[in-house]
Amino acid sequence: MWKKKLREYKGKYHKYSLRNKLLREKRINSDFEVILNTLTLEELIALKLELSNLYINNKLYNFPLYKSIKYIIKESLLIFALSATRTTKDAANLLGI
């Protein structure tokens, strides 16, 4: 009985998936997902910073990167939680809020 209720109740974010959204927009494909899966989170962040630094000619001065990383990671965790769960309450429980 409880599985039936769980299937019937669909929250606001039940169809939201960042992966599906990016696939629809053709910003990623399955090959990219395989390559991305082989990288660690630290390597991915370092690579993203290196690429952004490359395009601005190594002038990442006066940007409080070390202080703002906490907010960047919190936002990415929030996006993941909303993508992985059906409701905001489930997302809050996942994050331990």
Side-chain angles (χ1 to χ4, degrees):
M1 180 175 165
W2 63 271
K3 286 186 180 182
K4 183 180 176 188
K5 276 191 170 184
L6 191 60
R7 273 185 276 134
E8 287 176 1
Y9 177 71
K10 294 180 180 173
K12 183 178 178 182
Y13 299 102
H14 77 282
K15 289 187 178 179
Y16 178 75
S17 169
L18 184 62
R19 179 182 172 268
N20 290 338
K21 177 185 166 202
L22 293 175
L23 283 171
R24 268 194 318 270
E25 294 173 355
K26 298 194 185 313
R27 292 175 62 188
I28 63 172
N29 58 17
S30 60
D31 296 333
F32 177 76
E33 288 177 345
V34 170
I35 293 169
L36 186 66
N37 200 23
T38 61
L39 296 174
T40 64
L41 190 57
E42 293 84 6
E43 291 170 340
L44 184 63
I45 292 170
L47 181 63
K48 184 71 176 170
L49 287 171
E50 186 176 339
L51 288 173
S52 63
N53 196 24
L54 179 70
Y55 291 120
I56 58 173
N57 295 326
N58 298 324
K59 294 185 178 164
L60 202 57
Y61 307 121
N62 292 333
F63 182 72
L65 188 62
Y66 194 75
K67 288 184 180 182
S68 62
I69 195 72
K70 178 173 72 170
Y71 302 109
I72 294 169
I73 291 180
K74 281 184 180 181
E75 184 176 348
S76 65
L77 285 173
L78 185 62
I79 290 171
F80 162 71
L82 289 175
S83 172
T85 59
R86 291 182 178 203
T87 64
T88 54
K89 186 174 181 180
D90 291 341
N93 286 337
L94 178 69
L95 293 174
I97 298 174

